[in-house]
Amino acid sequence: MADIEGAAVPERLLITRTTTGDGISIVTLAGEVDLDGSSQLRDVLLSSVQTAPGTVVDFGEVDFLDSSGINVLIAAHQAAESRGVWFRLAAPRQAVRRVLQLVGVDALIACHPTVEQALAA
């Protein structure tokens, strides 16, 4: 992987964007995705889907996801669709996976058990 771009947002959320050799963006999140960090996350994800042929959001280190985070994911998914690029979620922990399932986001946006599987899909 090449090109690492990191953005520390409120102390509860760390967002790191990594670009693979073929231009795919991997946006790695750590902490809590809530109202405090959702605008920064929106900026990173919308930038990613505008510049990359595909984006994977790695939820492996996310403990909490609220409705503002869900709205950001839906907005990024819609932006990716309108541009004709793909957008996938990866490695959600049980609590986050449950939220994604309860609101139906897992049916709208492809969600994979690992980043590797999301990249290969």
Side-chain angles (χ1 to χ4, degrees), residues 77-88:
H77 167 72
Q78 291 172 336
E81 275 193 334
S82 71
R83 190 168 168 262
V85 299
W86 53 264
F87 182 77
R88 300 174 186 148

Side-chain angles (χ1 to χ4, degrees), residues 1 3 13 23 27 68-69 72 82 92-93 107 114:
M1 297 191 183
D3 286 347
L13 179 63
V27 178
S68 63
V72 168
S82 71
R93 292 179 175 182
T114 67

Side-chain angles (χ1 to χ4, degrees), residues 96-118:
V96 171
R97 184 172 44 245
R98 178 127 171 85
V99 171
L100 295 171
Q101 292 169 338
L102 284 172
V103 298
V105 170
D106 65 326
L108 177 67
I109 305 170
C111 189
H112 301 272
T114 67
V115 171
E116 293 75 19
Q117 288 172 321

Side-chain angles (χ1 to χ4, degrees), residues 9 15 26 28 35 40 46 67 93 108:
V9 293
I15 304 168
I26 300 172
T28 304
L35 186 59
Q40 293 89 346
L46 291 179
S67 61
R93 292 179 175 182
L108 177 67

Side-chain angles (χ1 to χ4, degrees), residues 3-99:
D3 286 347
I4 296 178
E5 170 188 324
V9 293
E11 54 278 349
R12 294 192 319 261
L13 179 63
L14 177 66
I15 304 168
T16 306
R17 180 175 169 191
T18 307
T19 304
T20 66
D22 55 355
I24 304 300
S25 285
I26 300 172
V27 178
T28 304
L29 309 177
E32 299 179 1
V33 180
D34 60 14
L35 186 59
D36 288 338
S38 63
S39 65
Q40 293 89 346
L41 178 58
R42 178 184 305 271
D43 292 345
V44 172
L45 292 181
L46 291 179
S47 171
S48 179
V49 300
Q50 291 302 315
T51 59
T55 299
V56 173
V57 183
D58 180 358
F59 277 92
E61 296 297 320
V62 173
D63 300 315
F64 177 80
L65 173 69
D66 75 1
S67 61
S68 63
I70 294 292
N71 288 333
V72 168
L73 295 176
I74 292 170
H77 167 72
Q78 291 172 336
E81 275 193 334
S82 71
R83 190 168 168 262
V85 299
W86 53 264
F87 182 77
R88 300 174 186 148
L89 309 179
R93 292 179 175 182
Q94 180 59 34
V96 171
R97 184 172 44 245
R98 178 127 171 85
V99 171

